[in-house]
């Protein structure tokens, strides 16, 4: 997936995570415009995803506020994806 100032890479996701789970993780206070869940060679999710936000400000705020927050029992690391 393409990076950019409004894209965040997510690592450490549960293998059964869905796009809806990721949207719920960020909540309504963030303008999530799209989610791409990475899959391995076997076609199953590999614990990484990218989320695209409506603005650079939303992406920056998400990095600051949601890094190392949990989805289920897993904490999720967030990285700028330039």
């Amino acid at each position: 997936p393409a990076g950019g100032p409004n894209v965040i890479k997510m690592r450490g996701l549960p293998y059964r995570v869905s796009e809806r789970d990721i949207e719920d993780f960020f909540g309504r206070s963030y303008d999530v415009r799209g989610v791409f869940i990475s899959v391995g060679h076997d076609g199953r999710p590999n614990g990484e995803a990218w989320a695209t936000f409506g603005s650079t400000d939303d992406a920056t705020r998400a990095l600051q506020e949601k890094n190392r927050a949990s989805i289920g029992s897993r904490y999720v690391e967030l990285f700028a994806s330039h």
Side-chain angles (χ1 to χ4, degrees), residues 7 10 36 74:
V7 178
M10 306 175 73
F36 174 82
R74 304 281 309 240

Side-chain angles (χ1 to χ4, degrees), residues 1-9 50-53 55-56 59 63 79-82:
N6 61 333
V7 178
I8 289 178
K9 179 180 179 181
W50 285 260
T52 302
F53 293 82
S55 70
T56 302
L63 280 169
F79 304 91
S81 178
H82 297 288

